[in-house]
Amino acid sequence: MSCAWVELMSAARMRAIEQAAIGGGRVTGAGLMEQAGRGVVEAARARFGPLWRGRSAAVLCGPGNNGGDGFVIARLLVREGARVELFALEPRGARPPDAAAALRRWQEAGGRIRPLGESGAGGHAVVFDALFGIGLGRPLDADLEARVRASIGAAGAPVWVAVDAPSGLDLDSGRVLDRVLPASLTVTFHRPKIGHHLADGPAACGALAVAPLDLDDETDAPPPDAPRLVGRPEGLRKAGGHKYDHGHALILSGG
């Protein structure tokens, strides 16, 4: 039996690690975005096979960097022979620079961007949810969910792949913020997050894959006094049942 343990990260810690690596000049935000998009496609292919090849895929892009990952994913899917419908939620202001650059690359490759809520062709083999991810700070309201359904068709798709987190899931608590777009597969980056394993997280995320990013152990080292949550993934991702069905926890805490 494997005894591997893994640290579960908060959203703030993950952002700090990325910014430290970018600030140190080891990576660029655009480079990490390319790695993330490629990691999502590779993880989806490993689990489901290239089910989008010669078929239709929908990519839902949010206004931030999670949406930027979606623009990369869309470009890579077209390269692999998919017919892609990309629907974007327009930002209230300017897109972050890296996401804006990823959008330009998608358009320069001949890709179209359609507003989320516009009626699409439907019948997609797979939907990639790159709406909010780790940066979600508000509930997924009924109007936004209706716009998603209008774009991809009422029947949805047999496979949903969430980028970092299913839209509507808080990755620090694992709680659904009013409503969620549940995934067949969730692909997160570098390390799993707390909300993937707690509360509503396992049911909403489906299978979980972790795609590596170019972040080394030195950049990853937490401050000496930083709280850390660790656990065995296979023991944390149970859902339902009585509390004693899940085993016991040992918590070591100082003053």
Side-chain angles (χ1 to χ4, degrees), residues 179-203:
R179 63 194 73 234
V180 71
L181 301 178
S184 311
L185 169 69
T186 296
V187 185
T188 193
F189 309 111
H190 186 57
R191 298 280 177 82
K193 312 307 181 294
I194 296 168
H196 291 134
H197 293 280
L198 298 183
D200 308 311

Side-chain angles (χ1 to χ4, degrees), residues 10 25 32 47 64 84 122 130 153 165 196 221 223 226 228-229:
S10 68
L32 288 177
R47 184 161 187 89
V84 174
H196 291 134
R228 304 179 74 191
L229 177 60

